[in-house]
Amino acid sequence: MKELDLLTIGAGGAAYPAAFRLAKAGAQVLMVDPKGVMSGNCLYEGCVPSKAVRETAELAQAQQRFQKLGLSGETRVDYAAVVAHKDAIQARRYAQHAEELAAVANLTLVKGVARLLDPHTVQVEGEQGEERYHCRNIIIASGSDVFVPPLPGAELALTSHDLYKPDPTLKTLPEHLIVVGGGYIGLETASFFAALGSRVTLLQKGDQLLAGMDPEMVALLLPLLSPRISILTGVDVQAIEKSTGNKRSLRYLRDGQEQVLEGDAVLLAVGRRPILPEGAAAIGIAADRHGISVGTSLQTRYPHIYACGDVNGRVPLFHAAVRQSLVAAHNILGGNQACDYADFRNVPTTIFTLPAAAYIGITPALAAKEGRTLVSASYAFAEDSRAQILERMEGEIRLFFEPGSLRLLGAWVVGIDAGNLIGQIGTAIVGGHTAYDLARFADQHPMSAEGIGKAARSLL
Amino acid sequence: MKELDLLTIGAGGAAYPAAFRLAKAGAQVLMVDPKGVMSGNCLYEGCVPSKAVRETAELAQAQQRFQKLGLSGETRVDYAAVVAHKDAIQARRYAQHAEELAAVANLTLVKGVARLLDPHTVQVEGEQGEERYHCRNIIIASGSDVFVPPLPGAELALTSHDLYKPDPTLKTLPEHLIVVGGGYIGLETASFFAALGSRVTLLQKGDQLLAGMDPEMVALLLPLLSPRISILTGVDVQAIEKSTGNKRSLRYLRDGQEQVLEGDAVLLAVGRRPILPEGAAAIGIAADRHGISVGTSLQTRYPHIYACGDVNGRVPLFHAAVRQSLVAAHNILGGNQACDYADFRNVPTTIFTLPAAAYIGITPALAAKEGRTLVSASYAFAEDSRAQILERMEGEIRLFFEPGSLRLLGAWVVGIDAGNLIGQIGTAIVGGHTAYDLARFADQHPMSAEGIGKAARSLL
Amino acid sequence: MKELDLLTIGAGGAAYPAAFRLAKAGAQVLMVDPKGVMSGNCLYEGCVPSKAVRETAELAQAQQRFQKLGLSGETRVDYAAVVAHKDAIQARRYAQHAEELAAVANLTLVKGVARLLDPHTVQVEGEQGEERYHCRNIIIASGSDVFVPPLPGAELALTSHDLYKPDPTLKTLPEHLIVVGGGYIGLETASFFAALGSRVTLLQKGDQLLAGMDPEMVALLLPLLSPRISILTGVDVQAIEKSTGNKRSLRYLRDGQEQVLEGDAVLLAVGRRPILPEGAAAIGIAADRHGISVGTSLQTRYPHIYACGDVNGRVPLFHAAVRQSLVAAHNILGGNQACDYADFRNVPTTIFTLPAAAYIGITPALAAKEGRTLVSASYAFAEDSRAQILERMEGEIRLFFEPGSLRLLGAWVVGIDAGNLIGQIGTAIVGGHTAYDLARFADQHPMSAEGIGKAARSLL
Amino acid sequence: MKELDLLTIGAGGAAYPAAFRLAKAGAQVLMVDPKGVMSGNCLYEGCVPSKAVRETAELAQAQQRFQKLGLSGETRVDYAAVVAHKDAIQARRYAQHAEELAAVANLTLVKGVARLLDPHTVQVEGEQGEERYHCRNIIIASGSDVFVPPLPGAELALTSHDLYKPDPTLKTLPEHLIVVGGGYIGLETASFFAALGSRVTLLQKGDQLLAGMDPEMVALLLPLLSPRISILTGVDVQAIEKSTGNKRSLRYLRDGQEQVLEGDAVLLAVGRRPILPEGAAAIGIAADRHGISVGTSLQTRYPHIYACGDVNGRVPLFHAAVRQSLVAAHNILGGNQACDYADFRNVPTTIFTLPAAAYIGITPALAAKEGRTLVSASYAFAEDSRAQILERMEGEIRLFFEPGSLRLLGAWVVGIDAGNLIGQIGTAIVGGHTAYDLARFADQHPMSAEGIGKAARSLL
């Protein structure tokens, strides 16, 4: 039986940073992944391909705005080319990852399925057959998968997988896209396709879109989305059926009434579920619907077995997984005595709709839940130079401080540069900055970051 | 003689933040500005209008790139519309400023010229005639102006004034633009017009473009500029003359040879000079070619007279002026006993070329001059997800740390999101963050900020 | 009516820092204090004289310990000399304050009583008669006083006033001192007199000594106090009476039984009450038993009237008052628009018993109340070099961190150097330091601060 | 040949923290030390025993001062008891270390001598004979030794070894102690013995005592030392000879004149020299007179061989060695890819004279050498409450800031609580605090730390 210092179940963002870190330290490392490539769902069907589509969508949207800014002419969305670009980015990154992998002698990636036989033994069923490994350390980074609800006709719908995977199922722009589910994946996709020219109807079971996020922020965001998106809440989807000409028709109940909606495609985006590796339950590593329960050291009940990334359900974002993977790596290097910890709270999160919204830390809904008081300060993009230049003056920066100390605890940004600004704000949060500190920094003009200092100064 | 708590000579970024801050505190404040509007050159002919042109230029450039990203069709630059957009932004902001001003009872802006009669008396020649004020405090914020060298035919050239002021002189896109001067204004303008479709020749007297900035960073930036820009160094311009059809011809010496270059327009961008207010020299406030000498409290030889912004020549950037203005305001509120100080070093600076370059703090050239050693870490955009998605994989993030402590002391970013990233990095610098801190923050994926943490982790 | 920029009601720690700050800024300032001297109760009968007694007490205690450390011989406590030393320190500081005051032209201190006539008018009844002032700004810093309960024979007891004021009532060391009240004043005094040679009985009404402080910390401290102190809880004092030979006898109920205790002196230390200035209630500034209600900007319902220090009951400590006074000063300089705020939570607090205990920020009792989880790390002085050298190995340093981020949120120190160490720890808290930061600092050896880094490293 | 993950040459502060850290991580670790005990010179003859003597000396000094503070009576120094106490502390700590060691299965300490045979092989000559080990990693922590100059009669002098080792050579208090060498060991010892009752003459070859420290700080300290210490500079010692009655006489040249000084004992304290382990030079690890050259990662030319503590001559202090040892441990855990670094500059340093002086970071002498400008702020203990209470009002706190940012870069404290205060100040430095931050913290009253905030506020 071969000896390994580390085996990772999965090769995504929760796995490979640790794998490379340990390999750099001289360890023998094996990653096992059913896709046989690195980066997991993020690159395969998640953040990277969706953002590839998004950037084209954003430009398409910008062009309409820029008619009055000095760029005349007609542009058309060529969805096949959008897909080709997306595929090309994926191919390029897979190639890059292959090179990175090849450069490290003591690190191997096997396409296959891993099964935990006991807390130190993993059986790998790969293309070259079955092999067993004795593993000093294991990182479970098996990720999550689209949750497909038991709905009649669910197989007629698409999932994010079908939209974003290499050589995707969806290759033409639907005239009318029906999105079931108002989480961030549903909303982002609705936003991209609306910008690319589709009409979109988004159906949400309950009342709150982007459940789990601060309702006040969500309420700021929704009115800014494209008018080509219709949102229906309180919708109970009954079935999906074939309709004429490869269309789909969707039956749903709303206010007790059954109704039918016809579209060119239906996207099911009602959630994700953790993927528990085979054999995990047998050795006592169980998962509830959120995932495998771990604390900030990412250790399971076995100090040498870690669960990182989507599979633990704490912060299902690629960059959170990367940090968790490194926490696990550091704890492994430290002999499985916890010496590094993940901060599940201060992770910047962006909903990449058009426009985007981003947040981090403690916002009012969370503060209310925890019985904490916040002092807030805001800056409206309506007064922002750059927002005016870009003709995108909607939205705001809002900062939340601890009373008395004015320590920055949280923030959201809705509107331009949201994803960038939340990085700057997050840097201030983790550094323990106060409003006094923010006020003294000469944020650049004419950049949207001006609003950070200006919001802080409104308290001073 | 009327009594004032504060009179500001100028109403730009070095003046109005202090004016509003003191007015908020209940003081009687008067701003005197020859333009009669707030924001000074920045809004009139500087950062705001130039960035308005830039954003259109960037989109024009993006469209070429996006042909292969899924947006087909033809777009044309309509320079008259670009100018109209720019003018509209300026008009909008002037209107906004007027509203902000009208909302404050004890703050007035007079269009006119201020003359210092003695350290506490200022005579204002305005549209309603002459008036004298006894001023408890004075902020000299008279800014800077384009330096026009004594060159035969200089009057045939344009300056940034002619390009960016409201209703500008230049209203059509020159087929061939000649730019004299390789400072940031010359280089930015060259970059914008190249993206809008002009052919540009940029002439630089010495060898080093962007003199005063780190040569290593400049060397990274220059090759990334549009191939439509030709740069000639070692050029000694002799004269500008009229040529056929409203063209200009420019005679210059290079390597001892006289040569002639013909273009549709010539931009003179060889520097700026401080504007010393009338009467200043008489009360002993002198300026050298950089400006009025002040320390970090911004006080002149008179504790109650401050010199902020371009006129002191320390950091001629709008946001530096804003911070300086607030420092002056705080020191005035504190009774002209210094209690707030400007940090001239840690001001984020972006050269808004396409692509842009940005820097802050201590970079190798400065470190070498000061005999300090730096530890550096970098991240190439070639490996960046977002850069790949945008098909703009050139450039890098480079961070500079103090040895031992790994405290972040400086950085540059050349390439995508430079202006945004330098804000995040600058926030870390002023907060005293170390590479250890940067490495623990989960920078977002797929955003260019990933490179900050990744660069830091390369040391750890 | 004379005009003032600032009148302070009181001249203690909540008043004079603001008075000096505004005077430095050129303001006309008057302080009105019934004692006619600066520093309030702190210097008159509080921290300074009590610490003067404490240092002698500590040395007396140290000498016993040092018998085995190499210093032989007999020392006796000369309580009259202890008092003389205390009186001398007070005299010296009053003289110093007088010099400081005399050096500032626009700042005056009047011995007298201030009465608020309306929100801007204060009448001062001083030695030179009555005067009225129109005050732009007012700081109510009238402090607090010993609360004497309505107890038969209360006039036969001493208060802290009688012990610590200049030329105090108590001039001889009581053989048996009875202390009523287990707050920090009672406990500190018990501790000093025990070290000086008295036998002490401390009576507490409820079960919890040092009510309001973390019970876990209190439980660590109490066993370390001198065996010469007997603590009785659940005591309901009935009356104090004269006994033979100028002694006092105290009747109390405990477990339903009436009992009598005889001592040479009785100290009443059952609490303090805020002193509301005359006229305050009439203009709507009321106080409950804690004091005048203010927020972090220290402003009352009138933006130009501040309540700082003991009178607001937030953090009744001299250094908290000083910070609050400066916050008020900054807010006055800023035109009574709040621009500075007091952090009521992160104030280092020491109970100066022998040994002392100190704490800051969030400790487990507060965290439990707020529903927050803490990660803790500790260091026992038993293993500390310096504690061993001093033969005082009892107590510990305990640090409390936010889970995940490991940001330092609170701490206590019980034992040697508590008052010093809490300053270092507090500096880390307000700076937003994490356990990672603490672990990287090379705390000195052989100093007790070693334990800070060592505790942090136990998590890493 | 036995396999080890780590062998440390030495078991002092530069060795055992790494040994325990790696053992905690599961590594097989061996420490080899000629003393056969942990803690090296620090516990054997350095900081711990010298501080044991110091505390008695300080109390002896305090007693004189406390005559007027209320403690009368006569105390005598019993030097044999002082030594017994010192010996007891050492014995207690050795016992404690033995317990700590016994608790870790995979960590062994051998009394013996280590010899490097090749970069991975170490031969240990111990009490049980000779053994060879194959070592994955090696930490050279062989420390330093007293440098005894080639002086006639040097063997008649004592060294710090003779004073502080367990069961020391010097067992009686010399009436007149001659100290040769004005480094911190000489000066501290002079100070202790003066306080214990000796007359001390300190001879320094050059002009500058405490060479290498900031002369301005040294000039503040020297006048505060006991008048029982006579300091002669410019002294060239020629020989030491026996004199009558077991006395020593010392011949020296000064100003060209030969002179003779007689004393009861002579302490030679002219420096220390690194101890290079056997075999090091042969494998190319050389040392100059300062020690083995290493960078901030502590790695020698072999990535797996580290040189920590006094042997590298960077910061010859126990706590610096501890931090370096942990840096080495982290780098070993990270696979000898540098991932942690020592900050040689920001190490708090105290000269434990009576009174003490302490410093950290950048002070004026260093700034001048590096061409940097500092802004300074100070606080005199003459105005300090606690200093007055203790009747020790000499000295000051002085802080040094970066201009503009007011970031704290360095400090010294001369006088009371120096060793404690430098810890708080150092915490602020490594956290990147500014004067603004220091000013907002409510430093405790009446504690000497008040001066930190007060000094900062003098700039604000």
Side-chain angles (χ1 to χ4, degrees), chain A residues 48-64:
Chain A
V48 169
S50 69
K51 254 81 292 163
V53 173
R54 181 192 196 269
E55 294 307 321
T56 313
E58 186 167 44
L59 191 74
Q61 199 187 54
Q63 279 176 326
Q64 297 163 342

Side-chain angles (χ1 to χ4, degrees), chain A residues 24 59 63 66 70 72 75-76 78 85 89 93 96 319 350 385 388-389 419-420 422 427 433 443-444, chain B residues 59 63 66 70 72 75-76 78 85 89 93 96 319 350 385 388-389 419-420 422 427 433 443-444 460:
Chain A
K24 177 179 161 187
L59 191 74
Q63 279 176 326
F66 268 75
S72 60
T75 54
R76 289 171 307 280
D78 175 355
H85 171 236
I89 300 300
R93 289 196 70 75
Q96 178 181 313
H319 47 286
T350 302
S385 298
Q388 293 176 4
I389 289 169
N420 282 313
I422 210 68
T427 295
H433 296 216
D443 285 297
Q444 279 191 101
Chain B
L59 192 74
Q63 279 175 326
F66 267 76
S72 60
T75 54
R76 287 170 309 281
D78 175 355
H85 171 237
I89 300 301
R93 289 196 71 74
Q96 178 181 312
H319 47 286
T350 301
S385 298
Q388 292 176 5
I389 289 169
N420 282 314
I422 210 68
T427 296
H433 295 217
D443 287 297
Q444 279 191 102
L460 303 179

Side-chain angles (χ1 to χ4, degrees), chain B residues 158-411:
Chain B
L158 305 170
T159 68
S160 56
H161 183 76
D162 300 302
L163 265 64
Y164 297 125
K165 70 175 176 183
D167 190 16
T169 311
L170 184 73
K171 291 206 158 67
T172 55
L173 198 64
E175 190 278 320
H176 179 208
L177 174 66
I178 299 170
V179 175
V180 179
Y184 79 93
I185 295 174
L187 214 54
E188 288 184 359
T189 303
S191 194
F192 306 160
F193 279 85
L196 292 171
S198 300
R199 189 161 53 85
V200 182
T201 306
L202 188 143
L203 309 175
Q204 164 70 5
K205 196 165 192 174
D207 284 340
Q208 161 88 25
L209 277 83
L210 297 172
M213 299 184 188
D214 199 299
E216 196 177 344
M217 181 193 75
V218 175
L220 286 169
L221 173 65
L222 294 181
L224 307 184
L225 299 181
S226 168
R228 303 174 68 87
I229 304 174
S230 304
I231 295 176
L232 295 180
T233 57
V235 170
D236 190 2
V237 177
Q238 300 292 303
I240 303 170
E241 289 156 8
K242 285 202 180 178
S243 181
T244 54
N246 211 24
K247 284 180 189 280
R248 299 289 180 259
S249 87
L250 185 143
R251 277 191 296 113
Y252 64 92
L253 286 176
R254 195 180 183 216
D255 295 334
Q257 305 277 344
E258 184 170 295
Q259 307 203 31
V260 175
L261 189 65
E262 196 179 70
D264 298 282
V266 175
L267 173 71
L268 274 181
V270 298
R272 297 184 67 83
R273 53 171 197 79
I275 301 173
L276 194 67
E278 293 179 26
I283 62 165
I285 296 179
D288 62 13
R289 70 185 179 88
H290 298 296
I292 298 170
S293 173
V294 291
T296 55
S297 73
L298 281 322
Q299 289 167 300
T300 62
R301 55 182 295 185
Y302 300 100
H304 71 287
I305 305 183
Y306 296 79
C308 299
D310 285 13
V311 79
N312 68 34
R314 299 298 300 251
V315 188
L317 294 169
F318 182 83
H319 47 286
V322 168
R323 170 64 185 143
Q324 289 175 23
S325 188
L326 289 167
V327 167
H330 298 149
N331 288 337
I332 290 168
L333 291 170
N336 297 315
Q337 303 286 337
C339 63
D340 200 9
Y341 306 85
D343 180 356
F344 297 126
R345 178 160 283 185
N346 292 312
V347 178
T349 303
T350 301
I351 306 116
F352 283 98
T353 42
L354 297 167
Y359 64 95
I360 187 168
I362 304 175
T363 57
L366 181 56
K369 210 169 120 191
E370 298 190 352
R372 298 175 72 172
T373 307
L374 298 173
V375 171
S376 81
S378 68
Y379 173 82
F381 284 134
E383 60 169 297
D384 184 69
S385 298
R386 179 167 149 83
Q388 292 176 5
I389 289 169
L390 295 169
E391 302 279 354
R392 303 201 301 184
M393 289 166 288
E394 65 279 0
E396 67 170 32
I397 296 170
R398 198 171 298 191
L399 307 177
F400 303 102
F401 300 94
E402 186 178 53
S405 68
L406 294 193
R407 187 179 303 285
L408 185 63
L409 294 182

Side-chain angles (χ1 to χ4, degrees), chain C residues 59 63 66 70 72 75-76 78 85 89 93 96 319 350 385 388-389 419-420 422 427 433 443-444 460, chain D residues 24 59 63 66 70 72 75-76 78 85 89 93 96 319 350 385 388-389 419-420 422 427 433 443-444:
Chain C
L59 191 74
Q63 280 176 323
F66 268 73
S72 60
T75 55
R76 287 170 308 280
D78 174 356
H85 171 236
I89 300 299
R93 290 197 69 74
Q96 178 181 311
H319 47 287
T350 300
S385 299
Q388 292 176 3
I389 289 169
N420 283 312
I422 210 68
T427 295
H433 295 216
D443 287 297
Q444 279 191 102
L460 303 179
Chain D
K24 177 180 162 188
L59 191 74
Q63 279 176 324
F66 268 75
S72 60
T75 54
R76 287 170 308 281
D78 175 354
H85 171 237
I89 300 300
R93 290 196 70 74
Q96 178 180 313
H319 47 286
T350 302
S385 298
Q388 291 176 4
I389 290 170
N420 282 314
I422 209 69
T427 295
H433 296 217
D443 285 297
Q444 280 190 100

